[in-house]
Amino acid sequence: MRRPRGGDRKGSRGQSVRVKTARGRKISSTRWLKRQLNDPYVVEARRVGYRSRSAWKLRQLDDQLEFLKPNSRILDLGSAPGGWAQVAIERGARKDGVIAVDLIPMEPVTGVRFLQMDVTEPKTIETILQISGGKIDVVLSDMAAPTTGHRQTDHIRTMALCETAVDIANMLLIVGGVLVVKVFQGGTENSILADLKRSFEKVRHVKPESSRKESPETYLVAEGFRK
């Protein structure tokens, strides 16, 4: 039976946690730490055992659109630390049906097969096909390039990863499959949107509530793969 949906809980704000600037710590680092300590999604992720606050983003996307079907094969690109993989398992993926891929290590998640590989390498696609036992029902990508501090550079690098996710989806999705990919708003996502509209029956932008308002990120959810 599918786990009941809903409950995108934010936790209790309570009193704001104050963070003092420590010697050797930059002011920007202090601001980040304060934001983390007072973020209700971070607090609630810890409480329920999610490895990252981003798990709430996938939950909210799926609560709205219900693309994580029971007994699905799911590919999670850029999976570390594993929050999205946890949600995929929760929402009814088939036994050992979640394949997670990342360049950096990820602690094991029950029911998830992890590949520490580069998603841009052809051998990665071959390995996924070998262990999946068939084509993929849903491709998830929360990938973003490490930030350099230069916004335009960061945007271009992250959009290149988005294009990689789209290419992988085109190769691995079943007919009728779904792609969920994070994009950064800034103009260059329009070409990706045009590509998706040619390959999928329905494409939409969705910004989950747990995505910070000041963040340029949004998600493209493409349903009904045609090929």
Side-chain angles (χ1 to χ4, degrees):
M1 175 179 282
R2 185 165 189 177
R3 178 172 174 157
R5 295 177 178 275
D8 55 330
R9 300 173 60 184
K10 304 179 191 176
S12 175
R13 287 184 180 273
Q15 286 188 319
S16 175
V17 178
R18 299 182 65 184
V19 179
K20 294 182 180 179
T21 302
R23 180 178 295 177
R25 182 193 295 154
K26 295 180 180 179
I27 293 175
S28 60
S29 298
T30 301
R31 288 198 193 110
W32 179 87
L33 181 58
K34 182 178 180 181
R35 185 178 68 177
Q36 288 294 100
L37 291 174
N38 290 285
D39 186 323
Y41 288 105
V42 173
V43 173
E44 188 67 3
R46 280 201 208 100
R47 189 188 72 80
V48 302
Y50 286 144
R51 296 183 181 180
S52 62
R53 77 182 298 283
S54 67
W56 298 109
K57 299 175 189 177
L58 182 58
R59 278 188 57 152
Q60 290 166 355
L61 289 168
D62 187 47
D63 283 344
Q64 182 176 343
L65 301 175
E66 298 191 348
F67 49 80
L68 295 176
K69 307 294 185 184
N71 204 36
S72 296
R73 289 188 179 96
I74 297 171
L75 177 61
D76 180 10
L77 303 174
S79 57
W84 277 37
Q86 288 177 299
V87 173
I89 290 294
E90 260 183 17
R91 293 286 164 105
R94 70 170 59 192
K95 183 180 179 182
D96 295 325
V98 177
I99 299 173
V101 186
D102 208 314
L103 267 176
I104 62 176
M106 187 180 92
E107 290 294 318
V109 176
T110 302
V112 175
R113 289 177 287 181
F114 175 64
L115 302 174
Q116 188 174 348
M117 302 182 76
D118 184 346
V119 298
T120 65
E121 293 290 333
K123 65 181 180 181
T124 303
I125 306 301
E126 295 171 11
T127 304
I128 292 168
L129 281 171
Q130 286 171 2
I131 69 174
S132 67
K135 292 236 174 177
I136 304 297
D137 297 285
V138 182
V139 173
L140 304 172
S141 174
D142 198 33
M143 292 191 293
T147 57
T148 64
H150 186 270
R151 183 163 182 165
Q152 186 176 4
T153 299
D154 294 340
H155 176 84
I156 292 170
R157 292 172 65 191
T158 293
M159 294 312 295
L161 288 175
C162 296
E163 291 171 356
T164 297
V166 173
D167 289 342
I168 291 173
N170 281 327
M171 287 185 278
L172 298 183
L173 276 178
I174 64 166
V175 173
V178 176
L179 168 66
V180 179
V181 58
K182 176 162 71 179
V183 297
F184 282 0
Q185 294 173 312
T188 55
E189 79 275 10
N190 290 334
S191 62
I192 292 176
L193 184 61
D195 286 344
L196 291 178
K197 286 182 176 179
R198 285 191 289 269
S199 300
F200 291 83
E201 293 175 4
K202 184 184 297 184
V203 183
R204 62 189 107 188
H205 282 93
V206 185
K207 188 174 179 71
E209 183 182 342
S210 52
S211 180
R212 293 188 174 104
K213 291 180 180 179
E214 69 273 16
S215 172
E217 73 176 12
T218 186
Y219 290 86
L220 287 173
V221 181
E223 300 174 274
F225 185 62
R226 291 194 180 105
K227 291 184 182 179

